[in-house]
Structures are given as C-alpha cells and as structure tokens.
C-alpha cells in the first residue's frame, strides 16, 4: 500500500508541482489549499507524513504542526515545514517539525528529504 502524504499549500502552482513530484515517487498525495481542507482530510484518514506551508489564507502551518505534535494520535507523523521567507530559525523555535525547507527549493533535494522520513514502499 502506498504511503500517504498530505500537502498543505495555498499556491496552486507550487501545490501541483509537489503533488506531481510525490506522485511520481509513488506516494499517495492529498493536496490541501488551506487549514480547513487539511482538517477535513484528517477526519478521513491519518497520513504517513505532512508537508506544511507556513502562511495559509485561513491560518498557518505552525499552528497545524503544534496541534499534530501535541496530540498522542498524531505526534509521530513526520512534518516538513515550507516557507518563502528566510526566518526559518524563528519558525524552528515555534514548531517541532522534523524538517524545514525554504521556497523556492530544489526538487531533488525536496524528494530526498521526504524519502529520508518516509521511504517509498
């Protein structure tokens, strides 16, 4: 069974590129455009990994990360934070995600980071 990754990204172009890349790497991908979509998906199924943009139209990835990491059912899910700003040290201080990546990012680097936390089956 394919491992499932939720991608929360409000920019449609970036969301589609990530979804395409991860699908090509044989992951099942659920792409969410905002926090509401994400929590709706979470009610359906718990993913194997979550990739979060920090700035979202109806909230932010830091709050999602905090909620995931403080819940006993979801605290073991690897989380990768993405940001277009270069304040990753400030983000790291607020969030216990496993990885942080700046946008724009190298697609090969992105794929290898995902593979590190979630080896494809």
């Amino acid at each position: 069974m394919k491992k499932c990754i939720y991608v929360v990204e409000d920019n449609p172009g970036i969301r589609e590129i990530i979804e395409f890349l991860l699908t090509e790497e044989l992951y099942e991908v659920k792409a969410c455009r905002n926090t509401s979509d994400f929590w709706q998906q979470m009610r359906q199924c718990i993913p194997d990994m979550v990739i979060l943009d920090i700035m979202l139209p109806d909230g932010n990835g830091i709050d999602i990360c905090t909620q995931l990491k403080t819940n006993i059912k979801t605290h073991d899910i690897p989380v990768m934070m993405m940001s277009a700003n270069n304040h990753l040290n400030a983000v790291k201080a607020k969030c216990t995600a496993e990885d942080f990546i700046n946008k724009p990012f190298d697609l090969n680097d992105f794929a290898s980071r995902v593979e590190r936390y979630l080896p494809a089956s």
Side-chain angles (χ1 to χ4, degrees):
M1 189 157 161
K2 288 184 181 180
K3 294 185 179 170
C4 180
I5 300 175
Y6 287 3
V7 177
V8 186
E9 168 61 62
D10 60 322
N11 181 306
I14 296 170
R15 190 173 59 241
E16 288 169 15
I17 288 168
I18 292 172
E19 185 175 14
F20 178 79
L21 172 70
L22 294 175
T23 301
E24 287 293 303
E25 296 290 325
L26 303 179
Y27 295 106
E28 179 185 344
V29 180
K30 302 282 186 197
C32 308
R33 67 182 189 272
N34 56 40
T35 61
S36 300
D37 285 357
F38 172 77
W39 291 116
Q40 187 173 342
Q41 287 294 329
M42 286 294 289
R43 286 191 285 278
Q44 310 295 317
C45 175
I46 301 291
D48 297 296
M49 183 173 185
V50 176
I51 299 171
L52 295 168
D53 187 16
I54 292 175
M55 301 299 292
L56 296 164
D58 62 345
N60 69 67
I62 294 170
D63 291 343
I64 292 174
C65 179
T66 300
Q67 287 184 266
L68 292 173
K69 293 302 182 181
T70 56
N71 183 324
I72 191 76
K73 294 178 183 175
T74 58
H75 77 277
D76 287 333
I77 298 171
V79 174
M80 181 190 295
M81 302 295 297
M82 301 183 295
S83 178
N85 69 43
N86 289 320
H87 305 314
L88 283 185
N89 286 334
V91 172
K92 288 177 186 178
K94 297 177 186 174
C95 175
T96 56
E98 280 71 19
D99 206 350
F100 301 84
I101 192 166
N102 273 317
K103 294 189 273 184
F105 46 79
D106 177 80
L107 294 179
N108 290 325
D109 178 47
F110 180 84
S112 68
R113 287 174 185 237
V114 170
E115 177 79 15
R116 183 179 323 140
Y117 298 104
L118 196 63
S121 23

